[in-house]
């Protein structure tokens, strides 16, 4: 990448909140996040050249569409600023970041406000599951299951089992790690949750089956939440740093990116990869694209990873697709402890989607924010010592839309 995009600051809401119980709605969350993000970057609204909002399911959960216009609705000083909303299921936030970067790289604007926002806890769980199922190929897959996404990712686990073998104990190792990491994160939805040992066993009361091989602790959370970033050109960032007595070279920047999209049906993804070493080759390619643009050779250049763990099997897939192990050998990185918070390459020190929470449209933005905080040494209790370079992986649908970033200084 020859046009660096710099992260000037960001904000994350408390993912443990329940907006409806507070008597609040999605507009309140947007307002909080706009103000929190600009305050974190020490910028006035007048500095913003464009706005990008990631949101997947606003119409279904809240009845509210046209969320690109919501920032100007709740902050009058943004009236007239160009804005747009991006939807790619759970990768909506990743696309919002990519689109803001593209405008900065093209020279259209020097400073962009990126938001990811989702309200999902205002409907019963069964209804939420149906809404979330809209990201699959509706009417063509998962028609006989009760819960679409546990069913779909159980099939991904079945494919790993068929090709390489898969032990549920390794998946539970991922779950235990991410819940443990979340206990250190003051924004995490599950930070106060307590588990007995039976919660990570094949216990039909403490850890019941949801669909197929997927049990309760294999699953990410249904979350109300938002995250925001201010992205800027190198020129804007240099002036910004000069006025604040900072070294612009120490500001986090997006070093590389990868973006791939394939068809909706999971069965077709698995059919096409049947003779390949990687179960989802397009995911591997998106990661390699991000590495190449960042000028790094592989995971050995990383300090950590924030990856999509909508289910434990998704993180299991990410381990070998990032190249930490040979294809199908992700269990080795779980067994040797390298992906724990004090391991050689921590994965999801934030707690991930399982521990921190998963407000769908916000997740891709939140990952970049956490990566930026890590490399800036500002991640608080979740900080990885000496972090210099972090990667992210954001997936939409059954890994239909894939966005990966490398963030560093």
């Amino acid at each position: 990448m020859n046009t660096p995009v710099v992260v000037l600051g960001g904000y994350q809401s408390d993912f443990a909140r329940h907006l409806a119980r507070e008597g609040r709605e999605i507009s309140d969350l947007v307002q909080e996040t706009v103000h929190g993000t600009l305050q974190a970057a020490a910028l006035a609204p007048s500095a913003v050249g464009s706005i990008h909002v990631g949101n997947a399911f606003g119409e279904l959960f809240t009845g509210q569409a046209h969320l690109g216009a919501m920032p100007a609705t709740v902050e009058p000083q943004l009236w007239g600023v160009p804005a747009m909303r991006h939807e790619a299921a759970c990768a909506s936030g990743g696309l919002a970041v990519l689109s803001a970067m593209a405008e900065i790289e093209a020279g259209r604007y020097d400073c962009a406000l990126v938001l990811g926002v989702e309200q999902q806890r205002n409907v019963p769980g069964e209804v939420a599951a149906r809404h979330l199922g809209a990201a699959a190929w509706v009417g063509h897959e998962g028609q006989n299951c009760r819960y679409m996404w546990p069913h779909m990712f159980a099939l991904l686990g079945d494919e790993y089992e068929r090709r390489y073998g898969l032990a549920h104990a390794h998946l539970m190792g991922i779950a235990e790690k991410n819940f443990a990491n979340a206990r250190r994160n003051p924004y995490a939805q599950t930070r106060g949750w307590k588990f007995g040992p039976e919660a990570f066993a094949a216990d039909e009361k403490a850890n019941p089956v949801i669909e197929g091989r997927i049990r309760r602790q294999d699953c990410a959370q249904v979350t109300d939440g938002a995250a925001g970033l201010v992205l800027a050109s190198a020129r804007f960032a240099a002036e910004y740093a000069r006025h604040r007595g900072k070294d612009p070279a120490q500001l986090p920047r997006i070093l590389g990116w990868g973006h791939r999209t394939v068809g909706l049906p999971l069965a077709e993804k698995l059919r096409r990869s049947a003779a390949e070493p990687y179960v989802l080759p397009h995911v591997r390619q998106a990661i390699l694209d991000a590495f190449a643009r960042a000028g790094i050779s592989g995971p050995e250049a990383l300090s950590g990873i924030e990856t999509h763990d909508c289910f434990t099997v998704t993180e299991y897939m990410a381990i070998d697709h990032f190249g930490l192990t040979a294809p199908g050998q992700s269990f080795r990185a779980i067994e040797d402890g390298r992906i724990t918070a004090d391991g050689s390459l921590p994965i999801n020190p934030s707690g991930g989607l399982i521990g921190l929470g998963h407000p769908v449209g916000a997740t891709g933005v939140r990952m970049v924010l956490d990566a930026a905080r890590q490399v800036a040494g500002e991640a608080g209790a979740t900080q990885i010592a000496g972090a210099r370079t972090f990667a992210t992986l954001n997936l939409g649908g059954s890994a239909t839309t894939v966005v990966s970033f490398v963030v560093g200084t």
Side-chain angles (χ1 to χ4, degrees):
M1 291 172 58
N2 54 18
T3 308
V5 174
V6 183
V7 181
L8 300 185
Y11 175 84
Q12 181 196 323
S13 70
D14 182 347
F15 282 7
R17 291 172 59 191
H18 192 303
L19 292 179
R21 289 179 183 169
E22 296 176 10
R24 296 177 181 272
E25 57 185 57
I26 197 167
S27 61
D28 297 302
L29 191 55
V30 172
Q31 183 179 55
E32 172 191 329
T33 306
V34 166
H35 292 163
T37 303
L38 292 174
Q39 183 177 13
L43 285 173
S46 58
V48 175
S50 69
I51 303 169
H52 294 266
V53 180
N55 174 268
F57 298 112
E59 295 92 332
L60 292 173
F61 280 93
T62 70
Q64 180 64 63
H66 206 171
L67 282 161
M70 191 59 76
T73 302
V74 299
E75 174 44 69
Q77 293 185 70
L78 294 174
W79 200 273
V81 177
M84 62 186 81
R85 174 216 180 164
H86 304 271
E87 184 281 315
C90 303
S92 299
L95 288 194
V97 174
L98 275 175
S99 299
M101 288 174 61
E103 289 195 318
I104 292 168
E105 290 163 343
R108 289 185 175 183
Y109 306 104
D110 276 324
C111 182
L113 174 64
V114 182
L115 306 175
V117 60
E118 209 79 59
Q119 182 178 8
Q120 301 175 158
R121 301 180 73 186
N122 58 326
V123 299
E126 293 274 353
V127 176
R130 288 198 297 273
H131 290 345
L132 295 169
W137 194 11
V138 177
H140 295 266
E141 56 183 345
Q143 292 170 275
N144 298 318
C145 67
R146 183 177 183 184
Y147 297 110
M148 175 67 79
W149 292 115
H151 166 73
M152 298 296 281
F153 282 93
L155 295 179
L156 179 63
D158 292 346
E159 186 67 11
Y160 262 94
E161 171 69 29
R162 185 186 70 78
R163 295 191 193 187
Y164 298 111
L166 179 63
H168 195 253
H170 291 129
L171 300 183
M172 286 295 94
I174 290 172
E176 286 193 83
K177 168 184 70 71
N178 291 348
F179 281 119
N181 289 347
R183 282 194 283 274
R184 295 189 294 274
N185 191 332
Y187 304 102
Q189 186 172 352
T190 73
R191 60 187 184 266
W193 294 14
K194 299 186 187 306
F195 298 99
E198 68 279 1
F200 299 98
D203 186 297
E204 293 308 318
K205 183 176 181 181
N207 193 20
V209 170
I210 307 299
E211 290 278 353
R213 64 171 58 241
I214 298 296
R215 292 179 177 270
R216 177 185 291 163
Q217 308 320 344
D218 285 300
C219 304
Q221 310 311 317
V222 176
T223 311
D224 293 345
L229 294 165
V230 175
L231 302 182
S233 67
R235 179 177 63 249
F236 187 100
E239 187 69 9
Y240 170 93
R242 185 177 67 83
H243 281 293
R244 290 159 179 80
K246 295 183 177 182
D247 179 357
Q250 298 303 309
L251 294 173
R253 60 192 63 214
I254 299 174
L255 304 176
W257 58 271
H259 175 204
R260 299 278 170 157
T261 306
V262 296
L264 286 165
L266 176 62
E268 180 63 9
K269 297 179 181 75
L270 300 180
R271 186 191 70 79
R272 285 174 176 250
S273 76
E276 301 285 338
Y278 290 98
V279 175
L280 297 171
H282 66 288
V283 175
R284 172 66 173 163
Q285 192 57 56
I287 293 167
L288 291 177
D289 291 344
F291 285 176
R293 289 185 174 110
I296 65 175
S297 58
E300 65 279 356
L302 299 175
S303 305
I305 295 169
E306 282 290 330
T307 196
H308 213 90
D309 59 318
C310 50
F311 298 92
T312 55
V313 70
T314 325
E315 182 170 328
Y316 192 88
M317 178 273 295
I319 291 170
D320 66 5
H321 283 56
F322 265 104
L324 275 70
T325 71
Q329 303 294 303
S330 297
F331 67 89
R332 297 187 184 279
I334 298 167
E335 290 181 350
D336 66 23
R338 81 185 80 162
I339 63 171
T340 62
D342 57 358
S344 60
L345 187 53
I347 294 183
N348 288 335
S350 68
L353 286 61
I354 288 172
L356 172 55
H358 183 29
V360 171
T363 285
V365 180
R366 190 278 304 164
M367 288 177 174
V368 174
L369 173 60
D370 269 322
R373 284 174 166 165
Q374 286 284 353
V375 302
E378 298 173 352
T382 66
Q383 180 69 49
I384 301 304
R388 296 297 303 274
T389 311
F390 252 69
T392 72
L393 178 64
N394 186 202
L395 307 177
S398 54
T400 300
T401 301
V402 183
V403 181
S404 181
F405 295 106
V406 175
V407 180
T409 52

